């Protein structure tokens, strides 16, 4: 549908310092490693809500 | 504003986001999320988004990109050397993953937001009561946003604030 989706982002708590360890990834216990394309339903809009082609 | 954002080597923000979609049955539904973005130029990024239906995080340390699905306790990784600029483009163009507020994370956000803009107007002045900051409200048009031949990019209705006060 023309004009959709509509997206609003409100930025809060603006800081200019970041902890040194902020960019290290430590998987939680039992986490499973998958291929990038195999991630299921990680979009903010649940799968199936909008028809194919209407995605952002 | 862009000059200020570009000049910050490290940035950390939290955010609330709303996305409204229209279903094939013409119902309008809004989905809300919150999260945090941390950036260290040129090549480190962590962005998290928690909503009612997903809890996701991307982490990029300059060499490896991790997409972590916290709900499903599953993560995926890929090698990705280069800058955050290149990473954002790759994620958006090849994997359909958009980082929140990604246009503002580029090293030259003004160039990114003004690309394709064919018309721009100053709508007025807005006072944000939440932050007590006065901002200028601009409206821009792009050919893709107007024709609807491609999904309108979020930059087609970007509003730009005066520089945040650190």
């Amino acid at each position: 549908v023309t004009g959709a989706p509509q997206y609003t982002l409100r930025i809060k708590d603006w800081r200019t310092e970041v902890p040194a360890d902020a960019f290290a990834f430590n998987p939680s216990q039992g986490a499973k490693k998958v291929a990038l394309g195999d991630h299921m339903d990680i979009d903010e809009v649940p799968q199936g809500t909008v028809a194919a082609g209407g995605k952002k | 504003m862009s000059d200020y954002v570009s000049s910050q080597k490290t940035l950390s923000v939290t955010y609330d986001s709303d996305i409204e979609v229209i279903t094939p049955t013409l119902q309008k539904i809004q989905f809300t999320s919150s999260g945090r973005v941390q950036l260290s130029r040129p090549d480190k990024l962590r962005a998290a988004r928690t909503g009612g239906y997903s809890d996701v995080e991307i982490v990029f340390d300059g060499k490896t990109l991790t997409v972590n699905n916290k709900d499903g306790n599953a993560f995926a990784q890929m090698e990705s050397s280069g800058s955050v600029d290149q990473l954002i483009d790759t994620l958006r163009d090849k994997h359909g993953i958009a980082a929140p507020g990604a246009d503002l994370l580029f090293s030259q956000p003004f160039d990114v937001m003004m690309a394709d803009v064919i018309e721009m107007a100053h709508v007025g002045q807005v006072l944000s009561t939440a932050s007590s900051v006065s901002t200028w409200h601009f409206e821009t048009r792009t050919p893709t946003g107007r024709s609807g031949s491609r999904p309108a990019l979020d930059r087609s209705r970007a509003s730009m604030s005066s520089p945040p006060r650190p």
Side-chain angles (χ1 to χ4, degrees), chain B residues 46-58:
Chain B
R46 177 182 283 257
R49 188 194 68 223
T50 304
Y53 300 88
S54 61
D55 188 358
V56 185
E57 184 173 52
I58 57 175

Side-chain angles (χ1 to χ4, degrees), chain A residues 4-50:
Chain A
Q6 181 170 326
Y7 186 72
T8 306
L9 184 77
R10 285 178 302 282
I11 293 173
K12 311 181 296 184
D13 195 23
W14 185 287
R15 294 170 191 275
T16 52
E17 65 278 345
V18 174
D21 61 352
F23 305 103
F25 175 69
N26 299 303
S28 58
Q29 202 172 10
K32 198 170 70 165
K33 189 167 182 181
V34 297
L36 193 55
D38 291 344
H39 262 322
M40 297 302 288
D41 224 358
I42 59 171
D43 200 48
E44 57 207 311
V45 178
Q47 278 173 7
T49 308
V50 284

Side-chain angles (χ1 to χ4, degrees), chain B residues 11 15 20 35 43-44 63 76 99 116 118 122 128 130 138-139 164:
Chain B
L11 278 179
Y15 68 89
E20 285 185 343
D43 63 356
K44 292 180 176 58
K63 295 189 186 74
D116 308 329
I118 55 170
H122 178 217
S128 164
F138 290 101
E139 170 266 337

